[in-house]
Amino acid sequence: MAPSPEAVLAERLRALRQSQRLTQARLARALGGAKGISVSAISSWENSSDPKLPPAGRLRSYALFCAQDHSAEATPQLGREEDLNTSEREKFDALYRELVGLRDAARKKPGTAAAGAGLWTFEAGPVTVICPEAPAAYRSPLADEANPNHTRMYRYADVDALIELWGHLRARNPELEDLSHKLPEEAAAPDLTGHLIVLGGIVWNDVAHQLQPLLRDLPIQQVEVPDLLNGEVFRLPDGQEFRPQWGEYERTLEKPPSKEEITAEQTEDVWRDGKRRGLIEDVAFLARVPNPLNHTRTLTVCSGVYSRGVVGAIRALTDIAVRERNEAYLASRFPGGSFAILMRVPLLNGAAMSPDLEIPYNRLYEWSPDDEAVA
């Protein structure tokens, strides 16, 4: 009889350790760094008769470590990905894909979600996306239920982010039946106590507003400020704020519009000294923590100062150009699974670009309950 997928992964991990001529204890010290990994954990991952699946972040460490030859080193240590040469990089990429594939195969069981590492894969429901509701001044006439062409989605704000996320959720979880998106006022107890995904800021999304005080350990808060309209900044306990960046359009007006002339789309905060400013960089907020209403389920928050930030938070883990590297970064940086991160979202031709987390400049602030926050 063929070995189970779990056993195949266990045997592969044991073979990798042996190829480096290391005992389980020496490998545990090498992979664990200052915090260390227990020898019993290494043993359980290599036990083909009763294997335990390692966290995805540990597979990345295995691949990174085994991309180089440490067999002759007295005290082998896990290196940095940026120090790999070309051949080592190719070996790392291939080995990481292999190990993740083996883990995914082991996790795929009848009645659960499709195999796949990442934030957007859920093994059980319900999974509910809470999307903010656009104020009446911003809605199309088709949002009116009395309109014969009524379209419910015109009530939603952050629709770009929702569409980007929704297709990815369906693709990652094809067998999951309890998957829905709702407006804040539509959320019932079963929605709020399941896996919860909250889009947008605290003003237009009342669920986000009510949940924020319950996240007592999370140092990042989204707050309204008087000098910024239609957006809320991110603030740390020490008062540090993270704000979007603006640039001026080349074309100017002889005089700025009056308050009466400014429309909902042209709010006061975009005018300075007769020149119209344009957003050139937003701030994205992505967090995954236990749901404070049910710690056996997760809460994922995707927000921004403005809507482009919300899109950037989503695209960090849906855009094929960056998502695998970003998933690997998050798995390695936050092996415990809970984290929060603030990211830069540059705009080109008005569109939000997907943050590449391997670029330190794009990471504005990181937090995990397992370590000290890193600015």
Side-chain angles (χ1 to χ4, degrees):
M1 184 175 65
S4 67
E6 294 94 332
V8 173
L9 176 58
E11 291 170 1
R12 183 67 172 120
L13 295 178
R14 182 168 61 252
L16 288 172
R17 174 179 59 79
Q18 292 173 344
S19 71
Q20 298 285 336
R21 301 177 184 176
L22 295 178
T23 64
Q24 291 180 345
R26 293 186 69 200
L27 180 64
R29 287 194 294 272
L31 296 186
K35 293 186 177 180
I37 300 175
S38 67
V39 177
S40 61
I42 298 290
S43 178
S44 69
W45 300 338
E46 294 184 2
N47 185 349
S48 57
S49 61
D50 183 26
K52 301 294 186 295
L53 291 181
R58 294 304 183 192
L59 295 182
R60 184 179 183 276
S61 297
Y62 264 97
L64 180 58
F65 184 83
C66 294
Q68 298 176 308
D69 184 7
H70 300 276
S71 59
E73 296 177 6
T75 308
Q77 294 182 343
L78 183 65
R80 301 187 307 169
E81 185 177 338
E82 54 265 37
D83 294 335
L84 298 177
N85 60 37
T86 301
S87 62
E88 290 169 344
R89 160 68 68 173
E90 292 175 353
K91 185 176 181 181
F92 163 73
D93 289 339
L95 187 54
Y96 181 65
R97 286 195 299 269
E98 176 194 0
L99 295 178
V100 168
L102 291 173
R103 185 176 185 272
D104 287 348
R107 292 177 66 234
K108 188 174 183 180
K109 301 175 183 178
T112 66
L119 205 71
W120 304 127
T121 300
F122 298 91
E123 296 185 356
V127 178
T128 307
V129 183
I130 305 297
C131 200
E133 183 171 13
Y138 288 84
R139 295 181 202 165
S140 162
L142 299 182
D144 187 350
E145 293 183 359
N147 192 308
N149 287 316
H150 167 66
T151 303
R152 178 175 175 271
M153 291 298 293
Y154 278 113
R155 292 180 60 190
Y156 282 60
D158 290 315
V159 178
D160 287 352
L162 176 61
I163 291 175
E164 177 73 28
L165 175 61
W166 189 252
H168 200 74
L169 286 173
R170 281 298 190 191
R172 283 287 182 99
N173 305 275
E175 300 177 17
L176 192 62
E177 296 181 357
D178 298 335
L179 179 60
S180 62
H181 56 77
K182 298 185 177 182
L183 294 168
E185 66 180 30
E186 298 170 335
D191 307 312
L192 298 173
T193 56
H195 290 294
L196 191 59
I197 302 170
V198 178
L199 304 185
I202 58 171
V203 174
W204 289 7
N205 192 327
D206 193 51
V207 170
H209 174 73
Q210 294 182 71
L211 285 174
Q212 183 165 263
L214 302 181
L215 304 176
R216 298 178 181 87
D217 296 331
L218 187 64
I220 303 169
Q221 296 283 295
Q222 193 164 18
V223 297
E224 292 184 89
V225 290
D227 62 323
L228 194 68
L229 301 180
N230 294 324
E232 306 86 54
V233 305
F234 297 97
R235 182 181 292 165
L236 303 181
D238 63 3
Q240 182 180 3
E241 291 183 350
F242 299 88
R243 291 170 171 255
Q245 301 297 317
W246 299 85
E248 291 180 350
Y249 289 115
E250 293 183 5
R251 301 175 68 180
T252 62
L253 300 178
E254 292 183 2
K255 68 173 184 176
S258 67
K259 289 186 177 181
E260 291 73 23
E261 294 171 325
I262 293 175
T263 67
E265 290 75 26
Q266 298 178 339
T267 51
E268 290 179 72
D269 59 307
V270 303
W271 294 96
R272 292 293 185 274
D273 300 325
K275 298 180 180 180
R276 190 173 191 273
R277 301 190 303 162
L279 189 67
I280 61 174
E281 181 182 283
D282 204 349
V283 179
F285 175 55
L286 176 64
R288 162 62 68 85
V289 294
N291 186 337
L293 304 176
N294 179 1
H295 273 214
T296 68
R297 296 294 184 263
T298 59
L299 168 65
T300 309
V301 180
C302 303
S303 188
V305 176
Y306 293 113
S307 62
R308 267 73 156 243
V310 185
V311 172
I314 297 294
R315 288 184 59 81
L317 295 176
T318 61
D319 185 351
I320 193 171
V322 298
R323 71 187 184 209
E324 289 188 2
R325 296 197 309 277
N326 286 348
E327 285 178 352
Y329 174 82
L330 293 176
S332 176
R333 172 67 179 85
F334 308 110
S338 293
F339 69 91
I341 185 168
L342 291 171
M343 303 168 282
R344 299 180 190 272
V345 180
L347 274 62
L348 294 181
N349 293 329
M353 297 293 101
S354 307
D356 184 342
L357 297 182
E358 288 189 343
I359 301 175
Y361 179 77
N362 290 336
R363 307 191 304 265
L364 289 167
Y365 186 85
E366 298 174 90
W367 168 87
S368 168
D370 300 325
D371 60 14
E372 295 291 330
V374 179

